Amino acid sequence: MKLTKSGLELKEVIEKAIADCVITNSEYEEIMKIANRDGIIDDHEQRMLGQFQELLGNGTLKLVKA
């Protein structure tokens, strides 16, 4: 599977959030903006977003106001 520029950027931002164990509203919005920037959410991006949402849902990542 070929990784796209937006996919690699998305991966970087999500990995930073995972390392911090928290994500701010602005980081969340940035992730969504990156994912939708080119108008196409490819398979790789879909998987990353799914895993990201799962981490938020199970409490591994905490969404905080900043």
Side-chain angles (χ1 to χ4, degrees):
M1 171 186 344
K2 183 177 178 185
L3 301 179
T4 61
K5 181 180 176 184
S6 63
L8 292 171
E9 188 176 356
L10 183 63
K11 179 179 182 272
E12 185 178 302
V13 175
I14 289 174
E15 285 178 344
K16 180 190 176 298
I18 291 170
D20 295 344
C21 296
V22 296
I23 185 164
T24 63
N25 288 335
S26 61
E27 288 172 324
Y28 182 87
E29 289 174 12
E30 179 183 4
I31 288 170
M32 295 300 119
K33 180 179 170 185
I34 292 168
N36 291 301
R37 181 177 296 153
D38 60 2
I40 300 168
I41 298 179
D42 60 41
D43 290 341
H44 182 244
E45 292 171 332
Q46 284 181 334
R47 281 195 293 272
M48 284 190 296
L49 289 171
Q51 291 171 346
F52 173 68
Q53 291 296 333
E54 185 176 323
L55 292 172
L56 282 171
N58 70 19
T60 301
L61 276 177
K62 306 280 187 229
L63 184 61
V64 296
K65 295 180 183 178

